[in-house]
Amino acid sequence: MATQTQEFLGTGRRKTAVARVRLAAGAGKITVNGRAFEVYFPTETLRGVVMAPLARTEPASKYDVAVNVTGGGPAGQAGATRHGIARALLEVDVNLRPVLKADGFLTRDPRMKERKKYGQPGARKRFQFSKR
């Protein structure tokens, strides 16, 4: 019988992206959808967004992070991953809440694409008006 390691789960969302995050005790390895973190998020900006909660709370090298992320684009997925990591860190230690909340990592970004309305070509755009 294998020994079960303690895992901490967190779900993050941004726009249409959803990230399911698992934190487990380890050496600080991050995998996203089975690929290396550096490969999945190629730009330094996106990597910075994802690493922000870990960098702010210090235990970056203490946990292995496994992320399963779907939907949206690269920026939305990075934001969802950040949100999920922050929520998983709360599962680890509730005392991290003030730090994570102050930096806005626990707030679900509510900005979404506005739906298209009937009788017009887009969400806000109207068909051309002709007076005569």
Side-chain angles (χ1 to χ4, degrees):
M1 189 167 162
T3 57
Q4 179 68 31
T5 58
Q6 181 68 33
E7 282 189 336
F8 303 96
L9 306 177
T11 304
R13 293 185 182 87
R14 185 177 190 302
K15 292 188 174 180
T16 57
V18 179
R20 293 185 313 236
V21 178
R22 291 175 180 272
L23 287 185
K29 198 176 85 170
I30 302 176
T31 57
V32 183
N33 289 354
R35 288 160 44 193
F37 166 67
E38 291 78 15
V39 175
Y40 197 85
F41 292 115
T43 65
E44 198 56 49
T45 308
L46 294 177
R47 283 188 218 140
V49 167
V50 172
M51 289 298 290
L54 292 169
R56 191 69 178 85
T57 55
E58 303 297 320
S61 59
K62 291 200 307 194
Y63 298 103
D64 284 339
V65 183
V67 183
N68 190 328
V69 63
T70 57
Q77 288 190 350
T81 304
R82 178 179 85 170
H83 191 218
I85 289 173
R87 282 182 163 184
L89 284 170
L90 265 191
E91 297 281 319
V92 174
D93 184 8
V94 181
N95 298 326
L96 295 174
R97 187 173 182 84
V99 176
L100 293 170
K101 193 160 175 60
D103 289 342
F105 298 144
L106 298 176
T107 306
R108 201 281 198 206
D109 192 340
R111 294 175 296 177
M112 300 280 280
K113 183 177 177 182
E114 191 174 329
R115 69 172 284 266
K116 180 198 171 296
K117 278 54 158 219
Y118 57 86
Q120 55 195 66
R124 302 268 175 109
K125 189 171 163 65
R126 304 289 194 254
F127 286 118
Q128 187 173 10
F129 175 74
S130 174
K131 198 166 190 175
R132 282 177 192 88

